[in-house]
Amino acid sequence: MIPSPAPGTRREETMASEERPPTAGERRGAGERQGRDSALSHHILPSAATMIGICTTLIGLVKIAEGQVGMTRVDEWVGLSALLFLASALTSYLSLRMPVRRPVSLRLERMADLFFLLGLIALTALAVAFAYEAI
């Protein structure tokens, strides 16, 4: 069993500061912005790759269903959404490969985020249009 430090000692103060959550001012530090941005590319890359796989699966399912339902353009539009996710994955990968804190890296990361959001919006719009048989 570890003996507890005497009240009012430096060790007790250090332990208390390690256990408490950071304050709002500490959370919004300048260094955290950089850390959060660089972590974004680590999340975009695998998510974009997964979405490319989902688009590929959807294209295959639409091709199978076209034999019973008739010709649609859904597969072509989903293919374009897959290209948006591919652009997101490529820019995210390039952002990860760049040295940290370079303006080019941050710009690539923002582009990856934008491509990913556009791909999600396009895929959602296609799903809604397909559900209501608009396309």
Side-chain angles (χ1 to χ4, degrees), residues 1-122:
M1 188 155 130
I2 300 173
S4 62
T9 62
R10 280 200 134 329
R11 183 169 175 201
E12 182 182 76
E13 292 170 8
T14 304
M15 288 176 60
S17 67
E18 290 174 359
E19 295 172 352
R20 70 171 172 75
T23 64
E26 291 171 340
R27 283 192 302 261
R28 284 181 281 179
E32 184 185 327
R33 174 76 182 165
Q34 288 294 100
R36 189 175 65 219
D37 283 346
S38 65
L40 186 61
S41 284
H42 289 281
H43 294 290
I44 291 175
L45 183 59
S47 299
T50 301
M51 293 307 293
I52 292 170
I54 289 173
C55 288
T56 304
T57 303
L58 184 58
I59 290 170
L61 290 173
V62 168
K63 291 289 187 187
I64 291 171
E66 277 183 349
Q68 298 170 350
V69 177
M71 294 297 291
T72 63
R73 294 224 179 254
V74 174
D75 53 341
E76 296 167 8
W77 291 103
V78 172
L80 292 175
S81 294
L83 288 176
L84 285 171
F85 289 119
L86 178 63
S88 175
L90 288 174
T91 52
S92 176
Y93 175 77
L94 290 174
S95 171
L96 289 171
R97 300 297 295 168
M98 292 282 177
V100 179
R101 294 188 177 130
R102 290 198 52 193
V104 175
S105 177
L106 294 174
R107 192 174 308 122
L108 285 170
E109 191 169 54
R110 287 187 194 117
M111 287 173 55
D113 192 29
L114 179 66
F115 284 136
F116 189 79
L117 287 174
L118 288 175
L120 285 178
I121 291 168

